[in-house]
Amino acid sequence: MYAVIESCGKQYKVTEGDVVFFEKLEAEEGKTITFDQVILVSDEGKIQVGNPYVNGVKVEGKVISHGKAKKIIVFKMKAKKNYRRKQGHRQPYTKVEITTIKTTAKKAETAKKTEVAEKVEA
């Protein structure tokens, strides 16, 4: 099972257990974050495509850490004008581990399991 989600203006293909680097998100380390802008879900060959998003599907992940990416050099130069500028940049990121992909079918399964468990207990 995999899903394509939209976050920070980019699209990411994720599966359960993946570790993904997103643009910096406003979430504390160790907290759970929910992505509800799911564009596509594939579950055992059944593909659901949203218009623009799939209804009832959410992807949950746990924030592992925040950090900065490797430094890149931005160099500007204009020939024959003695204009040169050198600048470095480190893009901040958030490292997220994808824990679950919740679909409407999974919600129905968990509801049935809890009903069966309640009947057994009664």
Side-chain angles (χ1 to χ4, degrees), residues 29-121:
E29 292 183 18
K31 298 286 183 179
T32 302
I33 189 165
T34 304
F35 302 98
D36 55 354
Q37 295 180 337
V38 180
I39 298 170
L40 179 138
V41 175
S42 174
D43 186 15
E44 300 171 5
K46 299 175 186 174
I47 296 176
Q48 293 179 333
V49 179
N51 186 14
Y53 304 116
V54 181
N55 292 328
V57 179
K58 294 184 180 183
V59 176
E60 290 186 350
K62 181 180 177 185
V63 177
I64 298 174
S65 65
H66 296 287
K68 288 186 176 181
K70 191 175 178 181
K71 182 179 278 191
I72 62 166
I73 303 299
V74 179
F75 187 74
K76 299 177 183 178
M77 182 187 114
K78 294 190 179 177
K80 304 175 193 166
K81 302 296 180 195
N82 197 24
Y83 175 83
R84 292 176 181 83
R85 300 289 181 265
K86 183 178 178 182
Q87 182 180 12
H89 175 74
R90 294 181 68 190
Q91 184 69 30
Y93 66 83
T94 301
K95 187 176 179 181
V96 177
E97 179 182 6
I98 305 299
T99 55
T100 58
I101 299 174
K102 292 185 177 181
T103 61
T104 53
K106 276 192 175 183
K107 289 179 185 177
E109 285 179 19
T110 56
K112 286 181 183 178
K113 287 180 183 178
T114 54
E115 284 180 19
V116 171
E118 289 174 359
K119 287 180 182 179
V120 171
E121 289 177 4

